[in-house]
Amino acid sequence: MQKFPMTGRGLQRLEDELRKLKSEERPAIIRAIAEARSHGDLSENAEYTAARERQSFIEGRILELEEILSSVEVIDPSSLSGDQVKFGAQVKLVDEETDKEATYQIVGVYEADIKAGLLSVSSPLAKSLIGKKKGDSVSVPAPGGDRTYEILGISYS
């Protein structure tokens, strides 16, 4: 079975989502289906159809989360160190073309959120950063042509 690396924060977020789906969303949709059924003819009942579709989505997401959570390998970035980029690292970069700086933490696939600075370990940028050191430059394929970044700093916290 494939193990998915994840930070403790990412694991907590997925566990919270699963708990909410099971304890709040699932019971609410069951009530909504019962309410829609009470309105009579199900074949022309849009509320019933929408509630069943929502139930299908919720049940599918519960199964997906349970599968992911059964295959998680939690890695604590604060227990890591070194001068090379690896999973869990906070990496400060500068775009060599625009001089724009950004900081990303390399995290698991299921916890990535680029707007929050959480970069998936399977992304092209993260793949190019793994194993590199401060001062190294990396080239990353991008839709508008390759982008080059210099690593300004690496930390594990």
Side-chain angles (χ1 to χ4, degrees):
M1 179 191 322
Q2 180 183 359
K3 289 285 188 183
F4 298 107
M6 187 173 289
T7 64
R9 181 179 58 220
L11 176 65
Q12 185 65 52
R13 199 179 89 237
L14 292 182
E15 286 175 336
D16 289 348
E17 180 183 353
L18 180 60
R19 191 171 12 268
K20 181 178 181 189
L21 286 171
K22 285 182 167 182
S23 67
E24 295 174 27
E25 301 283 335
R26 184 187 266 166
I29 200 65
I30 290 170
R31 286 190 301 275
I33 289 171
E35 172 72 21
R37 274 192 179 140
S38 72
H39 295 151
D41 185 7
L42 299 181
S43 66
E44 295 180 17
N45 189 329
E47 287 177 18
Y48 177 77
T49 303
R52 291 297 304 217
E53 287 173 4
R54 178 78 180 138
Q55 181 185 36
S56 177
F57 171 81
I58 290 170
E59 295 303 326
R61 183 64 177 155
I62 287 171
L63 289 173
E64 179 184 25
L65 287 170
E66 287 175 339
E67 186 176 326
I68 292 167
L69 291 171
S70 71
S71 304
V72 165
E73 177 183 356
V74 177
I75 297 173
D76 179 6
S78 65
S79 69
L80 304 173
S81 63
D83 60 354
Q84 289 187 322
V85 177
K86 52 191 160 215
F87 181 89
Q90 292 246 356
V91 185
K92 185 173 184 180
L93 305 171
V94 62
D95 183 316
E96 292 184 348
E97 187 177 311
T98 65
D99 287 334
K100 184 178 175 191
E101 292 184 9
T103 301
Y104 298 107
Q105 181 179 19
I106 299 177
V107 298
V109 173
Y110 296 105
E111 60 185 316
D113 180 354
I114 198 69
K115 290 179 181 161
L118 302 174
L119 185 65
S120 170
V121 69
S122 67
S123 71
L125 178 55
K127 286 179 178 179
S128 67
L129 290 170
I130 299 290
K132 301 294 190 281
K133 297 180 178 185
K134 180 179 177 180
D136 287 352
S137 286
V138 296
S139 181
V140 182
D146 288 3
R147 304 296 301 223
T148 304
Y149 301 91
E150 180 183 344
I151 299 173
L152 299 178
I154 303 166
S155 65
Y156 294 92
S157 55

